[in-house]
Amino acid sequence: MPERGLARSLVEAYVYFDLMAGGEQGASRRAAAEQDADGWVVRLGGTEVLVPQEAEVVARQAGLIFGSGLSELIDPGQWVLVAATYASRALEGGLFFAADPSDPEAFGRIETDWRFAADAVAEALKFFPRGAAELPPDAFWTGMGRALRESEPHRLTRQKLESDLAFYRQSLDDFHHLHDR
């Protein structure tokens, strides 16, 4: 039986599979999900992630994309990388949308990308001890997260992440205002 991780929402499970695919874009689309008595079991290759039914229900009711509490699958460094990916997609999509704002699906994708970017940064911020300006080294348990901490520690301070969060939220608000939606 494969080792089973624990996710707080289905979205978090799929983001985890994309991270584990080592840069293969859209790898999570190959994942299979099935519901059992414990919740949803999402599988990709030899990896399984359980999303307890209660966790998914709480996430949906509260409007939490990635779930409540702290992630056990994705460390704060990975959340920062996820946020940067979504923000980059939103910026690029916004440029194309400005040239041709007639595609309602494009509007939805850009809106979702800004929201996911902001929520991913909020996930990284959850790892900070109360009042701490920096994350403790043991908050990073993945190679990807540790590599970011070693190469670009300035991206992982509370001040920087709070600034990123404000920027992503403002960018979403500006996008809505600019396009009157």
Side-chain angles (χ1 to χ4, degrees), residues 36-84:
D36 69 12
D38 296 327
W40 289 268
V41 178
V42 186
R43 291 182 183 89
L44 181 62
T47 304
E48 284 187 355
V49 173
L50 171 66
V51 182
Q53 186 169 353
E54 183 178 325
E56 179 67 16
V57 168
V58 166
R60 287 182 188 191
Q61 288 175 343
L64 301 169
I65 294 169
F66 301 115
S68 64
L70 275 179
S71 178
E72 295 179 20
L73 295 175
I74 302 171
D75 76 16
Q78 290 175 302
W79 282 120
V80 168
L81 295 170
V82 167

Side-chain angles (χ1 to χ4, degrees), residues 80-144:
V80 168
L81 295 170
V82 167
T85 298
Y86 281 115
S88 177
R89 288 181 193 169
L91 284 167
E92 182 178 352
L95 291 173
F96 287 107
F97 191 78
D100 178 14
S102 63
D103 183 358
E105 289 181 17
F107 181 90
R109 282 191 305 270
I110 296 162
E111 181 179 53
T112 297
D113 286 342
W114 279 126
R115 183 164 180 227
F116 275 40
D119 285 2
V121 169
E123 288 297 322
L125 284 164
K126 289 180 183 180
F127 285 89
F128 279 85
R130 176 174 254 162
E134 296 185 7
L135 289 160
D138 63 352
F140 302 89
W141 64 85
T142 68
M144 193 180 297

